[in-house]
Amino acid sequence: MYLESVIQTNYPSMTKKEKKIADYLLNHSEEAKNQSISTIAEICGVAESTVFLFSKKIGLTGFKELTVLLSSDSKKKVFEGIYEEDSIQAITEKVIETSTQSLETTRSLIDFQQLEQAVDVLINSKKVALFALGGSSPIALDGYHKFLRSPLEVEFTVDYHMQLLNAGRLGKEHCAVIVSHSGRNSDMLRIADILNKNKVPIILITGFNNTSLVKKADYTFIATTEELTYKDIGIYTRRLPQMLIMDLLFTLVMISDKTDSIPSLDKIQDAMHFTK
């Protein structure tokens, strides 16, 4: 688990005081790793209890684990940005390292009990509909492409108005998979409201905790985003963690004892034969 990623994941839902602590830890990790809870509280102008509760809010057991992750981050955070003088090899290594960190942090945040429950919902649904807009659409399209090989009835369209219509046609016997990095897109929130009204179970793949969309979802999986800076512009590794979650859902559905995936795969293989 990388502390920077965990803080960024929870940052949007933090209070002003919590953001002061977060900003200090993100910008002064080297100093903070050796400081006491009272010192950090004094520097940030908050109570010691606020620092402790901050640690709990980002999913840690307390301040001690916070200091452990600070020390760990300082050792692992080799790359901070891309510079004009960097060689192609250096840039390649930085991008790969950043992507690897995103995947590792995403893995550490997976709730396996919730994952099992989400897979059961998928398997028992009469239809699975995927919803995504903008940059998240390719992830939903990739999921649609994968789940077409499964026994599940699945649908996806990139058109927003058609997604609205699809949401209105679903019921509690169906399932929705939403991909939304921010969890704040007003159009996607409108779709989620329709799904909630129709009591459709929602599986959400998103980048942040405690957003409006998270509150509307039944099962949430956080796909964290690492950042490489270049001329004060953030270059994010967003899609790999999202695809990881989608691949997990697909794989677990396919190998489940509750699904007979072989006939479905045979039909797909027969259909694909004509494309060769």
Side-chain angles (χ1 to χ4, degrees):
M1 182 185 296
Y2 296 93
L3 183 61
E4 180 179 359
S5 300
V6 174
I7 290 176
Q8 290 174 344
T9 297
N10 290 275
Y11 195 87
S13 64
M14 291 181 183
T15 64
K16 289 183 178 180
K17 290 183 178 180
E18 289 169 343
K19 286 182 178 179
K20 282 185 177 181
I21 300 170
D23 292 339
Y24 176 71
L25 295 178
L26 290 174
N27 296 319
H28 303 89
S29 57
E30 279 296 321
E31 302 97 303
K33 69 179 182 181
N34 296 316
Q35 291 171 338
S36 65
I37 188 171
S38 58
T39 301
I40 293 176
E42 183 178 353
I43 292 173
C44 297
V46 300
E48 291 184 24
S49 59
T50 305
V51 179
F52 176 78
L53 291 174
F54 169 86
S55 304
K56 300 284 285 185
K57 183 165 187 174
I58 62 175
L60 307 180
T61 56
F63 181 74
K64 185 176 181 180
E65 187 177 3
L66 179 65
T67 57
V68 170
L69 287 184
L70 278 169
S71 298
S72 178
D73 267 17
S74 66
K75 294 176 183 177
K76 294 178 181 176
K77 192 178 180 182
V78 181
F79 307 125
E80 293 185 354
I82 295 175
Y83 306 98
E84 291 182 354
E85 62 270 21
D86 284 345
S87 66
I88 290 179
Q89 180 179 346
I91 295 172
T92 300
E93 290 175 350
K94 290 179 180 182
V95 171
I96 292 174
E97 175 70 14
T98 305
S99 297
T100 301
Q101 288 186 8
S102 292
L103 292 172
E104 283 292 332
T105 306
T106 298
R107 179 193 60 79
S108 70
L109 294 174
I110 293 174
D111 183 328
F112 292 102
Q113 182 178 0
Q114 191 171 170
L115 182 59
E116 183 178 1
Q117 293 171 348
V119 170
D120 281 340
V121 169
L122 287 169
I123 292 171
N124 292 312
S125 296
K126 289 185 177 180
K127 181 191 295 182
V128 177
L130 293 100
F131 298 91
L133 299 170
S136 296
S137 293
I139 309 302
L141 182 60
D142 178 72
Y144 175 62
H145 182 258
K146 286 184 171 69
F147 278 109
L148 279 175
R149 289 165 165 77
S150 76
L152 306 184
E153 290 293 327
V154 60
E155 62 180 23
F156 174 65
T157 175
V158 295
D159 184 84
Y160 170 61
H161 293 99
M162 292 181 69
Q163 289 190 41
L164 279 174
L165 290 173
N166 284 342
R169 289 166 57 90
L170 298 179
K172 60 182 179 181
E173 70 276 14
H174 303 130
C175 174
V177 178
I178 295 178
V179 186
S180 172
H181 174 66
S182 70
R184 290 176 171 76
N185 181 281
S186 58
D187 291 332
M188 192 52 66
L189 286 170
R190 192 171 295 112
I191 288 176
D193 284 336
I194 295 172
L195 294 170
N196 284 164
K197 183 179 179 180
N198 293 343
K199 298 181 180 180
V200 182
I202 297 176
I203 298 171
L204 173 64
I205 301 174
T206 188
F208 302 98
N209 271 324
N210 301 317
T211 61
S212 299
L213 198 51
V214 168
K215 295 173 183 176
K216 297 176 186 296
D218 298 279
Y219 309 96
T220 299
F221 301 99
I222 303 297
T224 61
T225 300
E226 300 290 340
E227 177 184 0
L228 276 170
T229 57
Y230 177 68
K231 293 184 176 181
D232 297 324
I233 298 174
I235 301 173
Y236 294 97
T237 54
R238 181 178 302 175
R239 293 187 180 180
L240 285 177
Q242 293 176 338
M243 290 181 70
L244 170 66
I245 300 298
M246 191 69 76
D247 285 351
L248 278 173
L249 292 171
F250 169 71
T251 303
L252 291 170
V253 165
M254 293 299 286
I255 67 173
S256 173
D257 293 336
K258 300 176 183 178
T259 55
D260 189 1
S261 58
I262 301 301
S264 177
L265 290 172
D266 287 341
K267 289 180 181 179
I268 290 295
Q269 189 173 5
D270 288 342
M272 294 299 291
H273 174 74
F274 294 102
T275 67
K276 297 180 182 179

